[in-house]
């Protein structure tokens, strides 16, 4: 298959604007990536006497924490995009993979006294294996049925784990605390987010990716053309699970305490989907942009009280508005040449009205 | 005697509630244009589904170019050289015509996709200036052309087309059927599934009549056209 057949030709001004946006974006990325190093250096310097650390330190610590959380959601949203955006299967239970990854690291470090470095690589493997296992029956369902089945699975996995004493039961697990590792956790989360984007890019350029898009657009036709739909869907699901499980594994060590509530939160399911859809499901950078903006909003408004309630309401309204007016997401809306942006609607209106 | 391309024996299949096909036998010579006709619900689309691997058979056998394809998955069937143009076109509606055609060559690994797109445009000149159009915005006839073209992109030895005339104006049906004939003349065997018996038998070399999941009649297109039972049941004379 030729790649050229799927490319679009942006106009010259479009290219220039795009380049400017890209440069500004890269600058911001550099600042965001370097910031945690300088902010956490202070903590290392003051290692011997933490009481000398003042309010600045607390603020710096919270900035790094915010960045780490945002990086985590970028990975979750980008991972969801593989199954939800590219393949068109609305998975509502990806938090199961997050929790499984977290519990893998938690169990191995707390109960088996394995080091974090050895435990972490197993988190994505466990999550992907589970996705492969449930994917075969679940991915036979479509639409709402698939969404409900995955939602149920997400809840069930958390409940089962909570009731198993080997995994700490209701008390949870306590991975040994790593001191002064704020920057490390940020870079791990950021690396996973980067990995998720690179994996998405590779998938979108590959034969596998065209197969996934064909499945999304018309599964029966894809099958008739020779796409092994079952294998492809399960593959995309397992890939999403691996990236989500890796995020969970990092999270477990970062928070140094996990229980069912902290690593199987149902609202994560909704949040990662919101981020991907508002940003642009099926696009490369849509879920990234959606995750950054939404999670930043959520964290800024999470002061508790009325503002938190307004934030939740706002998210609901935002989702409704997005789905109605920008069904392909914000990134697509601004990407002038892409086929489902405003320009496309104008063109196709002109063409069909002749 | 020409080479036997497809040999179907005692094929039974259904969707759980009970069989739709009850022991279908079919012989297809290489290079033929074969018409499969029958009323609504006779099992025509199910038979195509079984042949292309979408519906698993419960018994019977499918032999294609010497290979046993009984119960094979669709990707193996496509690799073996059978293309299925499903009923209702089933295009990738939000993609361009060109992308639809490229996806038709999904399992191929050579670099001659562009020349095959040119070949499809050769059959359907109407698509020539519409390659960049979104498939869902085309007329029904043009969509049918894209669907057949997408089937051709896999370079099949056997092209199975399910109800190409569905919902099309008579003039467009004529064009589509004529192209099916010229595809056949260029060496591709064609299995044409039609409810429009007049059109199908006009174009075909031979025909099979499917009734309630069984082959009720078979013969040359002329024989079937003259058969009193066919005339009564399908031609209304």
């Amino acid at each position: 298959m030729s790649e050229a057949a799927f490319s679009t030709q942006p106009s010259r001004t479009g290219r220039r604007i795009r380049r400017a946006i890209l440069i500004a974006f890269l600058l911001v990325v550099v600042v965001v990536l370097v910031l945690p190093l300088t902010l956490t250096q202070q903590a290392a310097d003051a290692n011997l006497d933490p009481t000398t650390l003042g309010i600045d330190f607390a603020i710096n610590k919270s900035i790094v924490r915010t960045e780490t959380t945002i990086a985590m959601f970028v990975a979750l949203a980008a991972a969801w995009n593989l199954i939800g955006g590219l393949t068109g299967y609305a998975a509502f239970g990806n938090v199961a993979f997050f929790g499984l990854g977290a519990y893998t690291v938690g169990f191995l470090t707390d109960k088996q006294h394995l080091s974090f470095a050895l435990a972490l690589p197993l988190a994505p493997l466990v999550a992907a294996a589970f996705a492969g296992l449930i994917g075969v029956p679940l991915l036979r369902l479509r639409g709402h049925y698939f969404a409900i089945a995955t939602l149920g699975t997400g809840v069930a996995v958390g409940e089962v784990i909570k009731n198993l004493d080997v995994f700490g039961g209701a008390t949870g697990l306590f991975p040994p605390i790593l001191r002064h590792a704020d920057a490390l956790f940020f870079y791990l989360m950021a690396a996973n987010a980067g990995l998720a984007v690179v994996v998405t890019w590779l998938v979108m350029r590959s034969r596998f990716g065209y197969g996934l898009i064909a499945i999304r657009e018309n599964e029966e036709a894809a099958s008739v053309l020779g796409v092994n739909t079952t294998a492809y869907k399960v593959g995309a699901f397992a890939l999403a699970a691996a990236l989500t499980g890796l995020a969970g594994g990092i999270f477990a060590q970062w928070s140094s305490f996990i229980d069912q509530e902290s690593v199987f939160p149902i609202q994560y399911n909704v949040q990662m989907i919101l981020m991907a859809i508002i940003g642009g499901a099926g696009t490369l950078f849509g879920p990234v942009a959606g995750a950054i903006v939404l999670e930043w909003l959520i964290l800024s408004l999470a002061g508790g009280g009325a503002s938190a309630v307004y934030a939740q309401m706002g998210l609901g309204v935002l989702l409704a508005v997005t789905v109605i007016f920008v069904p392909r997401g914000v990134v697509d809306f601004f990407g002038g040449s892409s086929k489902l942006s405003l320009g496309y609607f104008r063109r196709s209106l002109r063409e069909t009205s002749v | 005697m020409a080479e036997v391309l497809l040999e179907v024996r005692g094929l039974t299949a259904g969707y759980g509630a009970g069989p739709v096909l009850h022991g279908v036998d079919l012989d297809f010579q290489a290079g033929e244009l074969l018409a499969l006709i029958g009323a609504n619900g006779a099992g025509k689309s199910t038979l195509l589904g079984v042949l292309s691997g979408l519906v698993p058979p419960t018994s019977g056998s499918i032999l294609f170019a010497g290979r046993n394809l009984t119960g094979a998955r669709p990707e193996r069937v496509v690799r073996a050289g059978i293309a299925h143009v499903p009923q209702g076109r089933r295009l990738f509606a939000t993609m361009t015509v060109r992308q639809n055609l490229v996806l038709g060559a999904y399992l191929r690994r050579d670099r001659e996709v562009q020349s095959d797109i040119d070949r499809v445009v050769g059959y359907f000149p109407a698509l020539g200036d519409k390659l960049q159009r979104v498939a869902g915005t085309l007329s029904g006839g043009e969509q049918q052309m894209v669907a057949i073209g997408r089937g051709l992109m896999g370079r099949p030895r056997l092209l199975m087309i399910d109800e190409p005339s569905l919902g099309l104006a008579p003039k467009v049906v004529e064009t589509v059927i004529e192209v099916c004939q010229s595809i056949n003349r260029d060496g591709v065997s064609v299995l044409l599934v039609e409810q429009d018996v007049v059109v199908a038998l006009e174009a075909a070399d031979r025909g099979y009549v499917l009734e309630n999941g069984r082959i009720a009649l078979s013969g040359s297109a002329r024989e079937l056209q003259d058969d009193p039972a066919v005339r009564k049941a399908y031609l209304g004379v």
Side-chain angles (χ1 to χ4, degrees):
Chain A
M1 335 234 300
S2 74
E3 318 288 346
F6 279 85
S7 73
T8 45
Q9 299 252 309
S11 69
R12 184 174 296 181
T13 33
R15 260 204 305 272
R16 225 175 269 156
I17 293 170
R18 243 182 236 199
R19 193 175 302 159
I21 292 175
L22 187 68
I23 290 170
F25 176 73
L26 287 177
L27 281 176
V28 172
V29 166
V30 169
V31 170
V32 166
L33 285 179
V34 173
L35 205 58
L37 260 193
T38 60
L39 292 182
T40 54
Q41 190 56 41
Q42 197 187 1
D45 293 344
N47 199 3
L48 292 177
D49 184 8
T51 53
T52 59
L53 298 168
I55 186 78
D56 286 352
F57 172 66
I59 291 172
N60 289 348
K61 210 173 158 64
S62 101
I63 291 174
V64 177
R65 198 173 180 78
T66 304
E67 282 197 8
T68 310
T69 309
I70 288 174
M72 183 177 95
F73 274 100
V74 169
L76 296 188
W80 183 85
N81 190 38
L82 289 171
I83 183 73
L86 283 183
T87 321
Y89 273 75
F92 260 82
N94 275 16
V95 78
F97 309 131
F98 183 82
L100 279 174
Y103 263 91
T104 303
V105 166
F107 175 72
L108 292 175
T109 54
D110 182 2
K111 302 283 180 186
Q112 305 295 319
H113 307 294
L114 214 63
S115 74
F116 172 55
L118 287 175
L120 186 60
L122 291 172
L125 292 182
V126 169
F130 181 70
L133 202 68
I134 61 164
V136 174
L138 288 194
L139 286 161
R140 297 171 69 98
L141 305 169
R142 291 187 196 180
H144 307 93
Y145 300 101
F146 177 74
I148 291 166
T150 46
L151 182 64
T153 310
V155 175
V157 173
E159 290 295 331
V160 167
I161 285 184
K162 183 186 176 182
N163 285 291
L164 292 175
D165 284 337
V166 274
F167 298 118
T171 325
L173 292 168
F174 299 86
I177 294 174
L178 293 182
R179 297 185 69 82
H180 307 305
D182 293 346
L184 169 73
F185 290 119
F186 168 72
Y187 286 118
L188 281 175
M189 284 295 190
N192 188 29
L195 181 67
V197 172
V198 170
V199 165
T200 309
W201 183 71
L202 289 174
V203 166
M204 285 173 90
R205 292 174 51 87
S206 70
R207 183 179 292 266
F208 175 57
Y210 290 142
L212 296 183
I213 293 168
I215 289 171
R216 179 187 72 198
E217 296 299 322
N218 193 325
E219 189 161 346
E220 192 189 334
S223 180
V224 161
L225 297 180
V227 177
N228 186 339
T229 51
T230 309
Y232 275 38
K233 287 186 292 185
V234 174
F237 200 39
L239 208 52
L243 292 162
T244 311
L246 189 55
I250 301 166
F251 179 84
Q253 181 64 63
W254 180 37
S255 70
S256 69
F257 161 67
I258 56 165
D259 64 356
Q260 185 212 8
E261 243 172 72
S262 68
V263 297
F264 289 98
I266 293 179
Q267 68 267 24
Y268 277 19
N269 286 321
V270 182
Q271 279 175 20
M272 63 178 101
I273 296 170
L274 267 177
M275 290 163 177
I277 288 180
I278 287 176
T283 65
L284 180 58
F285 287 113
V288 178
I292 292 172
V293 172
L294 266 196
E295 189 54 27
W296 178 75
L297 260 176
I298 291 169
L299 289 174
S300 331
L301 293 171
S307 65
V309 176
Y310 293 141
Q312 292 296 328
M313 284 167 56
L315 287 182
V317 173
L318 200 56
L319 179 67
V321 169
T322 309
V323 169
I324 293 168
F325 293 106
V326 217
R328 289 276 164 157
V330 177
V331 161
D332 203 81
F333 188 76
F334 287 115
S337 69
S338 81
K339 70 183 167 75
L340 281 160
S341 64
L342 260 193
Y344 159 70
F345 281 118
R346 243 182 271 127
R347 270 197 307 280
S348 61
L349 273 180
R350 233 189 351 251
E351 280 168 8
T352 48
S353 60
V354 174
Chain B
M1 182 89 182
E3 178 203 354
V4 176
L5 184 66
L6 179 69
E7 190 185 286
V8 175
R9 286 290 171 268
L11 204 62
T12 308
Y15 302 95
V20 175
L21 300 176
H22 311 266
V24 171
D25 295 332
L26 204 96
D27 287 286
F28 203 136
Q29 316 289 334
E32 271 188 314
L33 200 169
L34 204 69
L36 181 67
I37 57 182
N40 236 346
K44 305 186 298 293
S45 294
T46 304
L47 179 54
L48 283 204
V50 177
L51 291 178
S52 66
L54 292 175
V55 181
T58 43
S59 68
S61 69
I62 302 167
L63 217 63
F64 179 76
R67 255 185 277 191
N68 183 7
L69 288 185
T70 315
R73 289 191 50 91
E75 58 271 18
R76 234 191 99 208
V77 175
V78 176
R79 280 218 171 84
I82 298 181
H84 181 179
V85 180
Q87 192 177 4
R89 305 140 182 53
R90 297 275 187 274
L91 294 183
F92 302 110
T94 61
M95 295 185 177
T96 65
V97 170
R98 182 182 204 89
Q99 288 171 338
N100 270 276
L101 293 179
V102 170
L103 276 168
Y106 189 77
L107 285 179
R108 285 173 45 192
R109 290 181 184 274
D110 55 75
R111 306 230 156 244
E112 290 161 34
V113 171
Q114 182 55 50
S115 70
D116 281 9
I117 291 178
D118 296 341
R119 187 169 143 237
V120 169
V121 173
Y123 285 126
F124 299 109
L127 297 181
D129 57 349
K130 298 197 172 71
L131 289 177
Q132 301 305 332
R133 285 274 298 272
V134 173
T137 65
L138 299 184
S139 72
E142 289 163 344
Q143 291 193 19
Q144 186 61 57
M145 295 174 192
V146 177
I148 295 174
R150 191 177 63 182
L152 278 176
M153 291 297 291
R155 292 199 176 167
R157 293 188 64 190
L158 169 60
L159 185 66
M160 309 191 297
I161 311 174
D162 199 352
E163 301 260 3
S165 72
L166 201 71
L168 301 185
K171 189 82 194 154
V172 183
V173 173
E174 206 174 286
T175 311
V176 168
I177 298 296
E178 273 168 16
V179 173
C180 290
Q181 286 177 296
S182 62
I183 290 170
N184 178 244
R185 272 195 299 274
D186 292 343
V188 180
S189 306
V190 175
L191 178 59
L192 188 61
V193 174
E194 263 300 339
Q195 277 193 63
D196 191 333
V197 174
V198 181
V199 163
L201 291 181
E202 201 65 48
D205 304 318
R206 287 197 306 133
Y208 280 85
V209 180
L210 197 61
E211 262 175 26
N212 299 321
R214 292 184 176 83
I215 299 292
L217 265 177
S218 69
S220 74
R222 176 135 308 275
E223 279 167 18
L224 290 178
Q225 274 172 325
D226 295 338
D227 188 279
V230 171
R231 292 176 70 85
K232 189 165 185 301
Y234 300 105
L235 303 179
V237 280

